[in-house]
Amino acid sequence: MARRSKPLVTQFFNRDRLAFSAMHKIGHVSYEHLCQCGLADRRIKNLIRDGHFEKIAYKQRGKNYECYKLTKFGRETASRLWGLSHAYHAQSPVHDLALAEKYFSMPEGQRESWQTETQIRNQFFNQLESLRGQGKVIEAKLYQQGLIEGLISMPDATFVNENGEVTAFEVITNSYGIEELTAKEALINIMNINYETIRI
C-alpha cells in the first residue's frame, strides 16, 4: 500500500517500540500480540495506512486467519528510531507465530535478550575468530566447512533464560529432515548453549 503524503502517526511511544521490536525479531505477530504490546485498534490501522505494518492473510488447518508484519518502510523506521538491525527474515506466518508465542510468553525484560538467526550467525563467526586467535585454526576451519556444507545450522533464535543461561529456540516443521535437526544440534554443541524446540 502506498504511504500517505501526510502520516497519521507522527509520534512514537514505548508501546510502538515493543510492537516494532517484536515484528523485527520474529517476523509475523497476531492481533493479540499487538494488543499485548499496548496498541489499540485505531493505532494498528494508522500504522498500516502509513505503510509501517502489513496485514497478512493465511490458512491453517483449512481456516482463514490474519496476522501482521513490518514492511520495508517499517523496518527502516525501526532502524531509525530504535537502532534495530539484523531483522529476522519472516518465514511462513504459521512458523513465525509459533516463534511469537514463545517470545510473548517471556517477561518484557527477557525479550530484550532475544537474538535473531542473523545475530547468532555473527556470534558464530566471532567464535571462529576467537578460536583462530587461540591458535585453534584447524578447529575453526572444520566448523566453517561444516557451515558451508550444511552440517551446522543456526537456530531460529536465542534468548537468555531466567537462570541467565543462553537458550536456543527452534520451531520444527514437518519439512525438517534428520540432517537439518542434526545440523541445528551441532551448532548448539559448538556454542555450548541450551536448546528448546516446539513442533508444529
Side-chain angles (χ1 to χ4, degrees), residues 19-27 70 75 78 84-88 116:
F20 274 78
S21 294
M23 286 185 274
H24 185 273
K25 291 178 178 182
I26 50 187
L70 289 178
R75 289 194 299 274
L84 296 172
S85 60
H86 304 300
Y88 176 77
T116 63

Side-chain angles (χ1 to χ4, degrees), residues 35-64:
C35 292
Q36 208 174 317
C37 292
L39 297 189
D41 265 8
R42 187 170 176 187
R43 187 70 169 184
I44 295 167
K45 283 174 184 161
N46 287 346
L47 287 163
I48 291 170
R49 286 186 192 133
D50 281 354
H52 295 289
F53 294 0
E54 185 181 352
K55 191 187 277 191
I56 306 288
Y58 70 98
K59 266 191 170 168
Q60 187 174 14
R61 297 186 187 91
K63 287 187 177 178
N64 294 319

Side-chain angles (χ1 to χ4, degrees), residues 24-27 86-92 95-96 116-118:
H24 185 273
K25 291 178 178 182
I26 50 187
H86 304 300
Y88 176 77
H89 299 295
Q91 298 188 38
S92 76
H95 173 279
D96 291 355
T116 63
E117 200 169 321
T118 308

Side-chain angles (χ1 to χ4, degrees), residues 123-136:
Q123 286 168 7
F124 178 71
F125 285 129
N126 288 342
Q127 198 158 327
L128 295 187
E129 279 304 311
S130 176
L131 285 172
R132 288 186 193 103
Q134 295 165 33
K136 299 176 181 176

Side-chain angles (χ1 to χ4, degrees), residues 4-184:
R4 302 163 70 96
S5 53
K6 193 176 179 188
L8 295 167
V9 176
T10 54
Q11 263 191 306
F12 290 89
F13 304 97
N14 189 52
R15 59 181 179 266
D16 301 305
R17 182 186 69 81
L18 294 175
F20 274 78
S21 294
M23 286 185 274
H24 185 273
K25 291 178 178 182
I26 50 187
H28 297 85
V29 299
S30 68
Y31 170 75
E32 290 73 25
H33 293 140
L34 291 179
C35 292
Q36 208 174 317
C37 292
L39 297 189
D41 265 8
R42 187 170 176 187
R43 187 70 169 184
I44 295 167
K45 283 174 184 161
N46 287 346
L47 287 163
I48 291 170
R49 286 186 192 133
D50 281 354
H52 295 289
F53 294 0
E54 185 181 352
K55 191 187 277 191
I56 306 288
Y58 70 98
K59 266 191 170 168
Q60 187 174 14
R61 297 186 187 91
K63 287 187 177 178
N64 294 319
Y65 298 96
E66 289 179 339
C67 62
Y68 302 83
K69 73 172 188 173
L70 289 178
T71 61
K72 184 172 184 287
F73 180 58
R75 289 194 299 274
E76 287 165 3
T77 302
S79 173
R80 190 181 73 252
L81 294 180
W82 301 293
L84 296 172
S85 60
H86 304 300
Y88 176 77
H89 299 295
Q91 298 188 38
S92 76
V94 175
H95 173 279
D96 291 355
L97 289 169
L99 208 55
E101 283 302 313
K102 178 63 186 178
Y103 180 82
F104 279 97
S105 74
M106 300 191 299
E108 195 181 308
Q110 212 177 325
R111 289 182 220 155
E112 298 292 330
S113 71
W114 189 275
Q115 302 280 295
T116 63
E117 200 169 321
T118 308
Q119 290 171 310
I120 300 162
R121 185 178 294 272
N122 290 343
Q123 286 168 7
F124 178 71
F125 285 129
N126 288 342
Q127 198 158 327
L128 295 187
E129 279 304 311
S130 176
L131 285 172
R132 288 186 193 103
Q134 295 165 33
K136 299 176 181 176
V137 179
I138 294 169
E139 192 179 341
K141 193 174 180 181
L142 280 172
Y143 291 155
Q144 187 143 12
Q145 196 59 36
L147 187 65
I148 293 164
E149 292 172 10
L151 301 173
I152 295 170
S153 178
M154 304 301 134
D156 286 320
T158 61
F159 61 91
V160 177
N161 69 17
E162 55 280 354
N163 300 321
E165 301 160 333
V166 177
T167 302
F169 188 75
E170 182 70 31
V171 176
I172 298 172
T173 65
N174 291 336
S175 65
Y176 274 49
I178 296 294
E179 295 84 5
E180 281 175 285
L181 293 173
T182 307
K184 302 277 182 193

